[in-house]
Amino acid sequence: MPENQNMPFLSVKDLVTEYKSDGKIVHAVNGVSLTLDRGRTLGLVGETGAGKTTIAKSIMRILPDVGSKIVGGQVLLDGRNLLDLPEHEMRKIRGNTISMIFQDPMTALNPVQRVGEQIAEVVKLHSDPGTDCEQRAKEMLEVVGIPAERYYEYPHQFSGGMKQRVVIAIALACNPLLLLADEPTTALDVTIQAQVMDLIVDLQKKFQTALLLITHDMGVVATVCDDVAVIYAGHIVEFGSKEQIFDHPTHPYTIGLFGAIPDMNEDEMWLHPIEGLPPDPTDLPEGCPFHPRCKHATDACKHGPIAPVTTADGHMCRCCRLDEISKEAN
Amino acid sequence: MPVPVIEVKHLKKYFSTPRGMLHAVDDVSFTIERGKTLGVVGESGCGKSTLGRTIIHLHEPSAGQVFLDGNDITGVRGGDLKRAREKMQIIFQDPYSSLDSRKTIESTVREPLKVAKKYSKAEIDEKTIALMNLVGIDERLRQSYPHELDGGRRQRVGIARALALDPEFVVCDEPVSALDVSIQAQVLNLLKKLQMDKGLTYMFVTHDMSVVRHISDDICVMYLGQVVEKCPAKELFRMPLHPYTKALLSAIPSVDIHHPNKREILKGEITSPINPKPGCRFAARCPHATEACQQAQVQEEVSPGHFVTCCRIHEL
């Protein structure tokens, strides 16, 4: 595949994805655009139900056939729109060029198949005939720090952290160019989380993988990401480099999110929650989706789509009161 | 000195498994003063939830004693147990599975009041409404079922139910880990306010270090059923002493991008709690382990209120 110098490796444009539920339409992803280059890490952060996983599943086209639909937009991988490809082409890409690490290692593995075979299966599907798939699977086990002789064991013989490493081995077996990691360490304990995250980052650097990391843990984002997209109700409300987002968050939602985390270095009597709840995705408010919870909201926030404002150095914020809020802050 | 609300002495809880005895809680002792919060942290399987449940007698202890307001409640049964339980309640981790899906919110909150058999119908009605106001459940939601509520509201229902009989001591077993951070802050503020208003005593079980630092007065760090370190909350973060505590704190990804944690990545994983060998249970993963760590370890008060169980603490 020729690499175009000017074009980002992954470019998602105006992605809109919907689910049908009880006769209502769930507006899960509402016009999301993002770009990601080889060797870079983009963090998608946001709360439960914000649409993070749906974005990843839309890119990989693994949404359920019944009840979900990519309504619009493009997913350009190296210039090719994945949404236009026939299913048999897409099957060659999944697990090969793009692969995904799922959140829950307990359910992502087949309980009645040997772990080694589950890795070998991916290799077999995507490599030339005659490749020694078992050998490759054993190599991958070693790469993720599991002795190759455990190839013949079953998932229940592994701890949670080891199962997640098997899931990572499956995802990386074919050296993907794009890795979608959906809360890869959320189900793990913090000391194991540190081991697994280090492993993902090491392998990413080694293979120059583009990594889309979905998480709700700002600490994980701070540790590994280059860029950050903050998702709220299926919209990217703020996008920027890690430094821009952490040092100068501008969207009231991003600011609220940081404010709600208990501070490890300061003693505060009360935390600062974001009052209210995320909106019902079957009945999104008009205008800015955050306005019902936003203390800066005015009438202007309640109408029409909110245009993104991007600074010269690429810090995007979707808030029509941006200027007033930053003036108030000063 | 006032009598502590909860005193635990050499508490043990073993479970029998096909492969041997699982030492879930192994010789744990501490006290919690009235109105204070003891945070209990550790990784999954370290016995922190079992400890909470054993204290309030959801599990029968294998050995050791539990005192509530100075009274030994270890072997109590029948009416005495029921009276003790009115003073000790629990808020569960998962607001999805800890509520009866076929009961309305109101009848869930009402149930403990009915079970207590102390109140008239009118009193129960009045108290139910007061409880739901206390935890901030809107009037319109009272006849709803749990599936109609979001996680934060469900956890409020769990809190209302736990507080129905005016307990003195509440075990909060990971009450916010299933919640998003913005909602988590709402629930933590509520728990803190209730503690101040009612003088509640909490044992707060969690694996989230930033939450435990915020909510606790003292913190116990557990590893494989044993307390490896216990001290005032702020001190634990300022001056962790046990090698496991140090590793645990260093593994937390910091949100401060300019001062990332100096990470000390542990090798290996928690070993099996079934028939553990004597000696330090962390030794297999500890970068400082020596021969001496294979011997049984003693808890030591290294400075006032700061307890550590590590034989190499003075050398380190």
Side-chain angles (χ1 to χ4, degrees):
Chain A
M1 233 183 273
E3 287 209 25
N4 193 321
Q5 291 299 311
N6 305 318
M7 193 183 276
F9 178 63
L10 170 73
S11 168
V12 175
K13 288 185 180 162
D14 302 316
L15 182 71
V16 180
T17 306
E18 295 174 351
Y19 295 100
K20 269 208 186 81
S21 160
D22 286 340
K24 289 183 206 155
I25 293 174
V26 177
H27 299 278
V29 180
N30 305 300
V32 160
S33 302
L34 51 87
T35 60
L36 176 60
D37 279 312
R38 295 280 305 270
R40 300 279 290 179
T41 301
L42 170 63
L44 281 188
V45 297
E47 296 179 88
T48 316
K52 310 185 292 288
T53 302
T54 306
I55 292 171
K57 287 185 170 173
S58 301
I59 292 172
M60 209 158 165
R61 281 179 49 194
I62 51 169
L63 291 160
D65 285 339
V66 179
S68 65
K69 199 172 159 200
I70 298 174
V71 182
Q74 291 180 312
V75 176
L76 300 170
L77 189 73
D78 233 353
R80 197 154 61 131
N81 187 0
L82 299 183
L83 301 184
D84 289 342
L85 294 182
E87 179 59 23
H88 69 269
E89 286 285 322
M90 200 59 212
R91 286 194 72 135
K92 288 185 201 155
I93 292 175
R94 273 189 220 117
N96 192 16
T97 318
I98 311 179
S99 59
M100 186 153 172
I101 301 173
F102 295 92
Q103 172 168 7
D104 186 357
M106 319 301 160
T107 54
L109 295 174
N110 181 347
V112 294
Q113 195 181 15
R114 296 175 201 279
V115 293
E117 287 168 3
Q118 300 189 44
I119 305 172
E121 187 183 9
V122 195
V123 183
K124 198 173 168 193
L125 274 172
H126 295 293
S127 57
D128 304 323
T131 310
D132 188 345
C133 304
E134 186 170 329
Q135 185 51 39
R136 174 71 185 146
K138 285 181 174 166
E139 281 168 26
M140 281 315 294
L141 279 175
E142 297 277 358
V143 167
V144 297
I146 298 174
E149 61 264 25
R150 301 198 67 173
Y151 180 95
Y152 302 99
E153 290 183 17
Y154 290 92
H156 76 268
Q157 293 168 288
F158 284 58
S159 67
M162 288 177 85
K163 274 187 240 185
Q164 192 60 302
R165 278 185 254 163
V166 172
V167 173
I168 293 169
I170 294 173
L172 296 176
C174 295
N175 296 341
L177 304 179
L178 171 63
L179 181 61
L180 311 171
D182 187 2
E183 306 260 11
T185 58
T186 305
L188 306 176
D189 278 317
V190 58
T191 59
I192 310 299
Q193 172 180 319
Q195 291 173 359
V196 169
M197 215 56 237
D198 277 16
L199 174 68
I200 294 175
V201 171
D202 281 353
L203 295 173
Q204 182 215 5
K205 295 278 173 279
K206 198 165 149 197
F207 298 114
Q208 280 296 297
T209 315
L211 174 60
L212 186 72
L213 179 71
I214 295 174
T215 182
H216 65 272
D217 186 333
M218 293 305 239
V220 171
V221 175
T223 316
V224 302
C225 292
D226 301 305
D227 297 316
V228 184
V230 183
I231 318 282
Y232 188 79
H235 297 80
I236 295 184
V237 294
E238 186 162 0
F239 176 90
S241 69
K242 173 170 77 184
E243 289 72 20
Q244 287 166 340
I245 300 288
F246 279 73
D247 290 342
H248 309 287
T250 51
H251 196 281
Y253 175 65
T254 317
I255 296 169
L257 209 53
F258 279 113
I261 305 171
D263 195 317
M264 291 287 264
N265 301 312
E266 265 171 62
D267 301 330
E268 359 162 61
M269 187 69 206
W270 301 107
L271 296 173
H272 309 286
I274 304 174
E275 296 303 334
L277 295 170
D280 177 356
T282 63
D283 183 22
L284 290 177
E286 215 188 304
C288 172
F290 187 61
H291 85 250
R293 298 173 82 184
C294 183
K295 57 184 180 209
H296 306 287
T298 60
D299 271 344
C301 306
K302 295 175 187 165
H303 303 289
I306 308 293
V309 179
T310 310
T311 61
D313 47 1
H315 187 170
M316 186 281 278
C317 179
R318 205 180 282 269
C319 175
C320 57
R321 299 214 57 224
L322 194 56
D323 293 339
E324 289 96 323
I325 294 169
S326 51
K327 256 179 232 156
E328 275 172 38
N330 293 328
Chain B
M1 227 171 108
V3 179
V5 173
I6 285 288
E7 180 166 14
V8 174
K9 283 188 182 166
H10 306 292
L11 194 69
K12 294 183 184 179
K13 178 64 200 173
Y14 295 173
F15 294 101
S16 165
T17 71
R19 288 186 290 151
M21 290 307 265
L22 187 151
H23 294 221
V25 175
D26 213 353
D27 200 0
V28 170
S29 304
F30 56 74
T31 56
I32 316 177
E33 306 291 333
R34 186 170 305 279
K36 299 288 184 192
T37 300
L38 175 71
V40 177
V41 293
E43 296 178 88
S44 50
C46 74
K48 53 193 193 300
S49 290
T50 308
L51 175 63
R53 289 168 186 224
T54 309
I55 292 173
I56 63 165
H57 279 57
L58 286 180
H59 296 309
E60 193 76 7
S62 305
Q65 288 167 298
V66 178
F67 296 85
L68 175 69
D69 292 326
N71 304 313
D72 188 350
I73 56 161
T74 314
V76 296
R77 291 183 193 284
D80 288 339
L81 179 59
K82 201 174 155 188
R83 273 184 289 280
R85 280 212 175 125
E86 284 178 14
K87 296 187 184 170
M88 315 183 287
Q89 289 292 325
I90 183 165
I91 300 165
F92 292 98
Q93 169 169 13
D94 185 351
Y96 299 85
S97 63
S98 63
L99 298 178
D100 186 335
S101 54
R102 292 176 295 178
K103 275 204 169 97
T104 62
I105 299 316
E106 190 180 339
S107 61
T108 292
V109 175
R110 179 186 281 271
E111 193 173 15
L113 296 164
K114 271 161 64 185
V115 172
K117 295 207 176 94
K118 291 202 287 199
Y119 306 108
S120 68
K121 171 97 177 34
E123 282 174 318
I124 292 179
D125 286 344
E126 190 189 319
K127 279 178 181 287
T128 308
I129 289 172
L131 280 165
M132 290 194 288
N133 287 336
L134 187 69
V135 299
I137 301 172
D138 286 352
E139 207 152 334
R140 64 186 174 83
L141 294 171
R142 290 175 184 175
Q143 297 305 321
S144 311
Y145 288 88
H147 75 268
E148 297 172 87
L149 269 58
D150 63 278
R153 287 219 182 85
R154 274 185 242 204
Q155 201 53 291
R156 286 173 195 264
V157 176
I159 295 171
R161 176 177 62 182
L163 297 185
L165 296 173
D166 270 322
E168 295 177 13
F169 174 61
V170 181
V171 173
C172 306
D173 188 0
E174 304 255 16
V176 295
S177 9
L179 306 177
D180 277 315
V181 57
S182 72
I183 309 297
Q184 169 182 304
Q186 296 176 4
V187 173
L188 287 173
N189 279 351
L190 173 66
L191 285 170
K192 205 158 189 174
K193 182 171 181 301
L194 291 170
Q195 177 171 45
M196 291 169 73
D197 293 351
K198 293 175 167 285
L200 292 168
T201 306
Y202 289 148
M203 174 173 150
F204 199 99
V205 176
T206 180
H207 66 272
D208 186 326
M209 299 304 277
S210 61
V211 168
V212 82
R213 183 186 182 280
H214 174 76
I215 199 103
S216 309
D217 296 294
D218 290 305
I219 297 178
C220 264
V221 182
M222 284 186 77
Y223 192 80
L224 276 179
Q226 298 178 323
V227 173
V228 296
E229 187 161 2
K230 177 179 181 278
C231 68
K234 307 293 177 282
E235 188 164 328
L236 187 83
F237 287 83
R238 206 177 53 239
M239 205 177 49
L241 294 176
H242 195 281
Y244 175 63
T245 314
K246 288 184 187 170
L248 190 64
L249 291 177
S250 81
I252 308 165
S254 164
V255 287
D256 184 348
I257 57 172
H258 302 291
H259 304 93
N261 277 346
K262 244 199 183 144
R263 294 203 296 163
E264 191 182 311
I265 304 274
L266 287 175
K267 298 266 183 291
E269 298 178 32
I270 297 193
T271 44
S272 164
I274 295 173
N275 297 335
K277 294 192 196 80
C280 176
R281 293 182 185 173
F282 181 61
R285 296 171 82 188
C286 182
H288 312 289
T290 61
E291 282 286 308
C293 303
Q294 307 303 325
Q295 310 297 321
Q297 305 284 307
V298 203
Q299 192 179 63
E300 197 184 328
E301 189 165 7
V302 288
S303 60
H306 196 148
F307 299 88
V308 184
T309 312
C310 174
C311 60
R312 300 209 58 219
I313 190 71
H314 297 291
E315 298 155 62
L316 300 173

